[in-house]
Amino acid sequence: MENSLQLLMTETSSEICQLCKVTLPARNIEVNVCDRNRVTAYQELLQQKPDAVLLDVFMPGMDAMSLKTKYDENNAESTTQFYATGTFQNEEIEKEVMESGFSFYFLKPFDVQNLATRILQNNEKEQPRENGEILLEEEDMVTDMLRMIGVPAHIKGYRFLRESVL
């Protein structure tokens, strides 16, 4: 694909990988999937030098934060954006992920269109839409506001509350 962004993702689940491979090329993002282990993921990162990387938080041999740290140490000039995904919500893990320099933590199952929008906005390849769609900046603002007032994301009705505020 000409001028497309490159996304490298670890094998999270066959359904998510297939959905990403089908959905993201329409948003000008080429998807490459590698095995979910530290050796393969690190080698693919070095070889491909993608624009964005989606890693499982916990992988055999090394967690996503350690893998990113190792990559950053050896590629200081890299502009690769890192995203993490996991099967459960834990505020401490999410905080550690974000403090490690990840752009976002996606809770499985996640909206692939949301992933695409975040990748494109972070890489400044697409301007935010003004045609009535809610911008991610607004979603982030509401999410931060809910956290500030002490509403944990794991409670029942959290998504409904966030959507209502939006």
Side-chain angles (χ1 to χ4, degrees):
M1 256 183 225
E2 200 174 299
N3 295 325
S4 64
L5 292 172
Q6 304 294 314
L7 170 67
L8 175 65
M9 63 184 289
T10 54
E11 177 74 46
T12 57
S13 74
S14 57
E15 297 85 23
I16 291 175
C17 290
Q18 187 60 33
L19 188 58
C20 286
K21 285 182 175 183
V22 170
T23 306
L24 297 180
R27 300 284 303 270
N28 207 23
I29 301 172
E30 186 179 327
V31 179
N32 295 305
V33 179
C34 67
D35 288 336
R36 195 178 140 249
N37 69 59
R38 70 175 172 91
V39 174
T40 306
Y42 186 69
Q43 288 174 347
E44 290 293 323
L45 263 169
L46 293 176
Q47 181 182 359
Q48 293 182 25
K49 299 202 184 301
D51 299 299
V53 180
L54 177 64
L55 300 171
D56 266 320
V57 171
F58 299 109
M59 298 180 287
M62 185 182 288
D63 63 34
M65 289 78 70
S66 300
L67 182 65
K68 181 186 181 314
T69 301
K70 182 177 178 180
Y71 181 75
D72 288 345
E73 287 172 356
N74 297 316
N75 298 284
E77 73 287 346
S78 174
T79 60
T80 301
Q81 295 290 319
F82 283 80
Y83 301 88
T85 184
T87 56
F88 60 93
Q89 183 135 12
N90 180 308
E91 288 183 28
E92 291 173 17
I93 291 174
E94 191 174 334
K95 181 180 176 186
E96 184 179 345
V97 165
M98 299 308 283
E99 287 175 352
S100 297
F102 282 77
S103 297
F104 197 78
Y105 175 77
F106 292 96
L107 184 62
K108 293 180 193 176
F110 57 87
D111 181 9
V112 175
Q113 290 295 339
N114 191 4
L115 170 64
T117 302
R118 286 189 182 278
I119 290 171
L120 292 168
Q121 284 182 348
N122 284 338
N123 283 285
E124 301 175 349
K125 300 285 183 184
E126 178 180 82
Q127 295 300 317
R129 298 177 185 181
E130 301 288 344
N131 61 356
E133 269 188 43
I134 295 172
L135 299 175
L136 285 177
E137 295 166 2
E138 294 171 351
E139 284 185 29
D140 291 341
M141 186 175 70
V142 170
T143 301
D144 291 342
M145 179 183 65
L146 290 173
R147 283 188 187 157
M148 275 184 12
I149 62 173
V151 179
H154 66 276
I155 66 166
K156 258 187 180 175
Y158 175 83
R159 289 185 182 181
F160 176 76
L161 177 62
R162 193 177 83 190
E163 288 299 315
S164 297
V165 172
L166 286 168

